[in-house]
mmCIF file with all atom_site columns, all heavy atoms in Angstrom:
data_model
loop_
_atom_site.group_PDB
_atom_site.id
_atom_site.type_symbol
_atom_site.label_atom_id
_atom_site.label_alt_id
_atom_site.label_comp_id
_atom_site.label_asym_id
_atom_site.label_entity_id
_atom_site.label_seq_id
_atom_site.pdbx_PDB_ins_code
_atom_site.Cartn_x
_atom_site.Cartn_y
_atom_site.Cartn_z
_atom_site.occupancy
_atom_site.B_iso_or_equiv
_atom_site.pdbx_formal_charge
_atom_site.auth_seq_id
_atom_site.auth_comp_id
_atom_site.auth_asym_id
_atom_site.auth_atom_id
_atom_site.pdbx_PDB_model_num
ATOM 1  N N   . GLN B 1 86 ? 2.624  -0.043 -5.311  1.00 0.00 ? 86 GLN B N   1
ATOM 2  C CA  . GLN B 1 86 ? 2.341  -1.009 -6.366  1.00 0.00 ? 86 GLN B CA  1
ATOM 3  C C   . GLN B 1 86 ? 3.436  -2.062 -6.404  1.00 0.00 ? 86 GLN B C   1
ATOM 4  O O   . GLN B 1 86 ? 4.614  -1.749 -6.217  1.00 0.00 ? 86 GLN B O   1
ATOM 5  C CB  . GLN B 1 86 ? 2.264  -0.287 -7.717  1.00 0.00 ? 86 GLN B CB  1
ATOM 6  C CG  . GLN B 1 86 ? 1.201  0.788  -7.733  1.00 0.00 ? 86 GLN B CG  1
ATOM 7  C CD  . GLN B 1 86 ? 1.134  1.535  -9.067  1.00 0.00 ? 86 GLN B CD  1
ATOM 8  O OE1 . GLN B 1 86 ? 1.528  1.001  -10.100 1.00 0.00 ? 86 GLN B OE1 1
ATOM 9  N NE2 . GLN B 1 86 ? 0.646  2.771  -9.016  1.00 0.00 ? 86 GLN B NE2 1
ATOM 10 N N   . PRO B 1 87 ? 3.079  -3.301 -6.726  1.00 0.00 ? 87 PRO B N   1
ATOM 11 C CA  . PRO B 1 87 ? 4.078  -4.369 -6.786  1.00 0.00 ? 87 PRO B CA  1
ATOM 12 C C   . PRO B 1 87 ? 5.086  -4.208 -7.931  1.00 0.00 ? 87 PRO B C   1
ATOM 13 O O   . PRO B 1 87 ? 6.083  -4.928 -7.978  1.00 0.00 ? 87 PRO B O   1
ATOM 14 C CB  . PRO B 1 87 ? 3.231  -5.647 -6.980  1.00 0.00 ? 87 PRO B CB  1
ATOM 15 C CG  . PRO B 1 87 ? 1.934  -5.189 -7.499  1.00 0.00 ? 87 PRO B CG  1
ATOM 16 C CD  . PRO B 1 87 ? 1.725  -3.788 -6.974  1.00 0.00 ? 87 PRO B CD  1
ATOM 17 N N   . THR B 1 88 ? 4.824  -3.264 -8.799  1.00 0.00 ? 88 THR B N   1
ATOM 18 C CA  . THR B 1 88 ? 5.762  -2.931 -9.867  1.00 0.00 ? 88 THR B CA  1
ATOM 19 C C   . THR B 1 88 ? 6.916  -2.050 -9.353  1.00 0.00 ? 88 THR B C   1
ATOM 20 O O   . THR B 1 88 ? 7.742  -1.614 -10.143 1.00 0.00 ? 88 THR B O   1
ATOM 21 C CB  . THR B 1 88 ? 4.982  -2.167 -10.957 1.00 0.00 ? 88 THR B CB  1
ATOM 22 O OG1 . THR B 1 88 ? 4.119  -1.214 -10.301 1.00 0.00 ? 88 THR B OG1 1
ATOM 23 C CG2 . THR B 1 88 ? 4.125  -3.105 -11.774 1.00 0.00 ? 88 THR B CG2 1
ATOM 24 N N   . GLY B 1 89 ? 6.925  -1.793 -8.031  1.00 0.00 ? 89 GLY B N   1
ATOM 25 C CA  . GLY B 1 89 ? 7.997  -0.995 -7.451  1.00 0.00 ? 89 GLY B CA  1
ATOM 26 C C   . GLY B 1 89 ? 7.773  0.509  -7.550  1.00 0.00 ? 89 GLY B C   1
ATOM 27 O O   . GLY B 1 89 ? 8.719  1.287  -7.478  1.00 0.00 ? 89 GLY B O   1
ATOM 28 N N   . ILE B 1 90 ? 6.518  0.870  -7.712  1.00 0.00 ? 90 ILE B N   1
ATOM 29 C CA  . ILE B 1 90 ? 6.143  2.272  -7.883  1.00 0.00 ? 90 ILE B CA  1
ATOM 30 C C   . ILE B 1 90 ? 5.281  2.707  -6.715  1.00 0.00 ? 90 ILE B C   1
ATOM 31 O O   . ILE B 1 90 ? 4.400  1.968  -6.272  1.00 0.00 ? 90 ILE B O   1
ATOM 32 C CB  . ILE B 1 90 ? 5.359  2.454  -9.203  1.00 0.00 ? 90 ILE B CB  1
ATOM 33 C CG1 . ILE B 1 90 ? 6.257  2.088  -10.391 1.00 0.00 ? 90 ILE B CG1 1
ATOM 34 C CG2 . ILE B 1 90 ? 4.813  3.871  -9.329  1.00 0.00 ? 90 ILE B CG2 1
ATOM 35 C CD1 . ILE B 1 90 ? 5.522  1.971  -11.697 1.00 0.00 ? 90 ILE B CD1 1
ATOM 36 N N   . VAL B 1 91 ? 5.552  3.899  -6.177  1.00 0.00 ? 91 VAL B N   1
ATOM 37 C CA  . VAL B 1 91 ? 4.617  4.525  -5.244  1.00 0.00 ? 91 VAL B CA  1
ATOM 38 C C   . VAL B 1 91 ? 4.174  5.862  -5.822  1.00 0.00 ? 91 VAL B C   1
ATOM 39 O O   . VAL B 1 91 ? 4.942  6.541  -6.503  1.00 0.00 ? 91 VAL B O   1
ATOM 40 C CB  . VAL B 1 91 ? 5.229  4.735  -3.833  1.00 0.00 ? 91 VAL B CB  1
ATOM 41 C CG1 . VAL B 1 91 ? 5.592  3.411  -3.185  1.00 0.00 ? 91 VAL B CG1 1
ATOM 42 C CG2 . VAL B 1 91 ? 6.422  5.648  -3.878  1.00 0.00 ? 91 VAL B CG2 1
ATOM 43 N N   . GLU B 1 92 ? 2.917  6.172  -5.580  1.00 0.00 ? 92 GLU B N   1
ATOM 44 C CA  . GLU B 1 92 ? 2.349  7.440  -6.048  1.00 0.00 ? 92 GLU B CA  1
ATOM 45 C C   . GLU B 1 92 ? 1.797  8.210  -4.883  1.00 0.00 ? 92 GLU B C   1
ATOM 46 O O   . GLU B 1 92 ? 1.135  7.653  -4.010  1.00 0.00 ? 92 GLU B O   1
ATOM 47 C CB  . GLU B 1 92 ? 1.186  7.190  -7.025  1.00 0.00 ? 92 GLU B CB  1
ATOM 48 C CG  . GLU B 1 92 ? 1.569  6.435  -8.287  1.00 0.00 ? 92 GLU B CG  1
ATOM 49 C CD  . GLU B 1 92 ? 0.341  6.138  -9.176  1.00 0.00 ? 92 GLU B CD  1
ATOM 50 O OE1 . GLU B 1 92 ? -0.731 6.774  -8.983  1.00 0.00 ? 92 GLU B OE1 1
ATOM 51 O OE2 . GLU B 1 92 ? 0.443  5.242  -10.017 1.00 0.00 ? 92 GLU B OE2 1
#
Side-chain angles (χ1 to χ4, degrees):
Chain B
Q86 302 178 25
T88 43
I90 297 169
V91 297
E92 299 176 17

